[in-house]
Amino acid sequence: MYANSGYNKCPKLEVIYLNVDTLISARWVIPVEPANKVLENQSIAIKDGKIAGILPNEKAKLKFRPAKQYQLDDHVIIPGLINAHTHAAMSLFRGMADDLPLMEWLNDHIWPAEQKLVSQEFVEDGTRLAVAEMIRSGTTCFADMYFFPDVAATVASDAGIRSVIGLIIIDFPSAWARDADEYLLKAGQVHHKFRNTPLVKTAFAPHSPYVVSEQSLRQINTLAEEMDIPIHMHVHETTDEINQSLEQYGKRPLQRLDELGLLSPRLLAVHMTQLEPAEIDLIAHYGVNVVHCPESNLKLASGFCPVGKLQANGINVALGTDGAASNNDLDMIGEMHTAALLGKGVANDCGAVKAFTALEMSTINAAKALGLQDMIGSIRKGKQADLIAIDLSELESQPLHDPVSQIVYSANRNQVSDVWVAGKQLLKSRELLTINENQVKLSAIKWREKF
């Protein structure tokens, strides 16, 4: 009697999809947080510039309806790399005065060239060259320190890359400012101009303890607390810096900074190649962040940052390239490789700086140093979709036993195929989408002829 009643028919289930902007399906995803985890055959959904979800590929296809979809079967997706210290515009000085010690390099070559050549146009063209190189190398955020910071911020924002723009302070005149008072005045103006620009943050950038007075350092410390921004400074870079401080002040630079109240989690101390055991304890106590620039330190023979000891003492260590004038590239994959190998050699311990540790130094550690760990540095739901894809199908990456190991020890920047910042694609199959590569090359040639 019930044969035609329809009671034996199952109701049709309606599938409800979540609309997203982008879905990236990859062979591997390395989220960085949690540590030492590699996800296989995963998809990352992006909506309104943020990560909306991370799911296995098949589940993602059932849950999300993307406007754009990428199937990257031979790729690993990692958080965008963060270059925690550079001087972007100095890309135009690349190869100009190689194989010299730091102070001779600065005093006899770089600073005279800057006095002669640095201008708004120089910074605009040099920063654009650097940004193009960084995007093609997988860098999605950089911390800069140079003159005309407003110009650098505009170039970076227009290109779609994230930046932490250094509000440069020195005690001698330049094309940007006449004296410390004008540097501080302009620092405040640049900060307020860009404070609502989504991809731009600012940090005070006193060059170093040897070219910034104690009065200026006190003012910077007070203003940085009021504005709630980091302080980004070269510290303990060379033995010359230490000896000069001892001769002039009777104390080492870190002791001076401690007495001035600058040691805190707000400080990014760049280089730190000259550290005594008590100084490691001191910066650990105050929660100072260290930015390690291994290739620049090696090239200038500045010394060795004791990364293994710092990390063993709980100190956050980030990674930077320094400027292309002293490196001579802005390649964070290469920097990870060097940091891992050098860290082992300095510590005489093959486990001192492991591959995953090097990856953390250029992602979540750098984000923590810059105060951006809630936004970037790892692949987590709700964070900004700053992501890069690395093609591991190349012969040089075979056979593939461990994606993290391959990235740090055998991959190179030419394997970075795609880059997204806040969900916007900046690099597609190695092609820059927001910068005209030919124009950048022509501009670099123009500056070479001026030199």
Side-chain angles (χ1 to χ4, degrees):
M1 62 181 291
Y2 299 113
N4 298 317
S5 67
Y7 291 167
N8 62 338
K9 295 181 180 179
C10 294
K12 186 175 181 180
L13 295 176
E14 182 181 358
V15 179
I16 300 176
Y17 292 97
L18 296 179
N19 292 322
V20 294
D21 302 319
T22 305
L23 187 68
I24 306 169
S25 301
R27 178 67 178 83
W28 302 275
V29 172
I30 301 172
V32 173
E33 292 181 312
N36 295 303
K37 196 170 187 67
V38 177
L39 307 175
E40 295 195 47
N41 299 310
Q42 298 282 309
S43 295
I44 301 170
I46 301 171
K47 185 173 178 62
D48 298 329
K50 295 183 178 181
I51 297 168
I54 309 162
L55 289 174
N57 290 341
E58 295 307 314
K59 289 185 178 180
K61 290 175 184 176
L62 295 175
K63 182 172 182 177
F64 299 113
R65 178 169 287 163
K68 293 181 181 178
Q69 187 164 0
Y70 299 86
Q71 188 69 39
L72 302 174
D73 294 329
D74 298 313
H75 295 65
V76 58
I77 305 295
I78 65 173
L81 301 175
I82 302 169
N83 189 341
H85 176 68
T86 192
H87 310 280
M90 292 181 78
S91 292
L92 293 176
F93 290 147
R94 191 195 320 261
M96 189 184 76
D98 286 339
D99 305 324
L100 298 171
L102 176 64
M103 296 316 296
E104 181 181 347
W105 179 77
L106 279 174
N107 290 322
D108 298 346
H109 299 274
I110 296 301
W111 285 342
E114 287 178 336
Q115 290 291 326
K116 182 186 294 187
L117 294 167
V118 170
S119 63
Q120 181 170 323
E121 181 187 9
F122 177 96
V123 172
E124 181 177 354
D125 292 346
T127 302
R128 189 172 291 110
L129 172 62
V131 165
E133 179 182 357
M134 285 191 280
I135 292 172
R136 280 167 53 91
S137 304
T139 293
T140 57
C141 176
F142 70 102
D144 199 35
M145 178 192 284
Y146 209 62
F147 307 106
F148 295 94
D150 56 331
V151 175
T154 299
V155 169
S157 183
D158 288 348
I161 193 172
R162 202 177 298 278
S163 62
V164 179
I165 296 297
L167 308 173
I168 187 72
I169 311 288
I170 54 178
D171 274 355
F172 54 79
S174 69
W176 171 241
R178 294 184 302 271
D179 52 32
D181 289 339
E182 188 175 8
Y183 280 105
L184 286 165
L185 174 64
K186 287 192 169 184
Q189 292 171 343
V190 173
H191 171 77
H192 288 291
K193 179 179 179 179
F194 291 98
R195 62 181 175 176
N196 295 318
T197 304
L199 295 177
V200 179
K201 302 293 182 184
T202 57
F204 273 106
H207 178 274
S208 58
Y210 57 86
V211 293
V212 181
S213 70
E214 293 191 355
Q215 179 182 349
S216 295
L217 288 172
R218 287 193 181 93
Q219 288 180 275
I220 290 165
N221 196 33
T222 300
L223 291 170
E225 289 187 13
E226 291 176 359
M227 297 155 67
D228 194 23
I229 61 175
I231 299 173
H232 178 182
M233 178 167 44
H234 303 102
V235 183
H236 281 225
E237 184 174 2
T238 65
T239 53
D240 284 344
E241 175 191 343
I242 305 298
N243 292 336
Q244 181 180 326
S245 180
L246 288 169
E247 183 178 338
Q248 186 172 357
Y249 301 102
K251 59 191 74 169
R252 291 164 67 88
L254 271 173
Q255 183 182 347
R256 287 183 59 221
L257 295 179
D258 184 20
E259 292 171 359
L260 292 168
L262 267 78
L263 300 188
S264 77
R266 196 179 299 283
L267 178 63
L268 283 77
V270 183
H271 297 304
M272 299 289 266
T273 67
Q274 313 294 318
L275 288 174
E276 296 178 342
E279 291 169 332
I280 294 176
D281 293 339
L282 184 68
I283 61 176
H285 172 73
Y286 283 107
V288 172
N289 298 280
V290 172
V291 182
H292 179 36
C293 302
E295 293 187 4
S296 176
N297 294 156
L298 285 168
K299 184 165 181 280
L300 294 169
S302 299
F304 304 113
C305 178
V307 175
K309 291 181 180 178
L310 296 177
Q311 292 176 331
N313 281 271
I315 296 166
N316 183 49
V317 183
L319 203 57
T321 61
D322 212 347
S326 64
N327 186 309
N328 293 24
D329 59 47
L330 305 176
D331 175 9
M332 285 296 293
I333 292 180
E335 210 72 33
M336 284 192 287
H337 179 93
T338 303
L341 298 185
L342 183 63
K344 299 174 196 305
V346 169
N348 194 27
D349 176 4
C350 62
V353 180
K354 297 175 181 172
F356 192 85
T357 303
L359 180 60
E360 289 178 312
M361 290 166 67
S362 59
T363 53
I364 192 62
N365 290 11
K368 289 175 182 176
L370 297 168
L372 300 177
Q373 66 270 28
D374 293 335
M375 295 176 57
I376 60 175
S378 61
I379 301 175
R380 292 174 57 182
K381 185 176 180 180
K383 280 197 170 187
Q384 294 286 306
D386 291 13
L387 307 166
I388 68 171
I390 302 173
D391 184 355
L392 295 180
S393 67
E394 298 293 335
L395 177 147
E396 291 81 3
S397 299
Q398 302 302 316
L400 200 153
H401 300 293
D402 180 348
V404 178
S405 175
Q406 298 297 68
I407 291 168
V408 174
Y409 294 127
S410 63
N412 65 72
R413 61 178 170 177
N414 294 324
Q415 291 172 250
V416 176
S417 62
D418 299 85
V419 172
W420 295 264
V421 173
K424 179 180 178 180
Q425 192 163 19
L426 307 186
L427 186 74
K428 183 177 182 180
S429 300
R430 297 292 298 155
E431 179 185 354
L432 289 166
L433 301 182
T434 59
I435 294 177
N436 186 310
E437 184 177 342
N438 287 330
Q439 287 184 1
V440 171
K441 289 178 179 177
L442 289 172
S443 174
I445 291 169
K446 174 194 73 176
W447 282 102
R448 182 195 67 196
E449 291 172 349
K450 283 189 179 183
F451 294 165

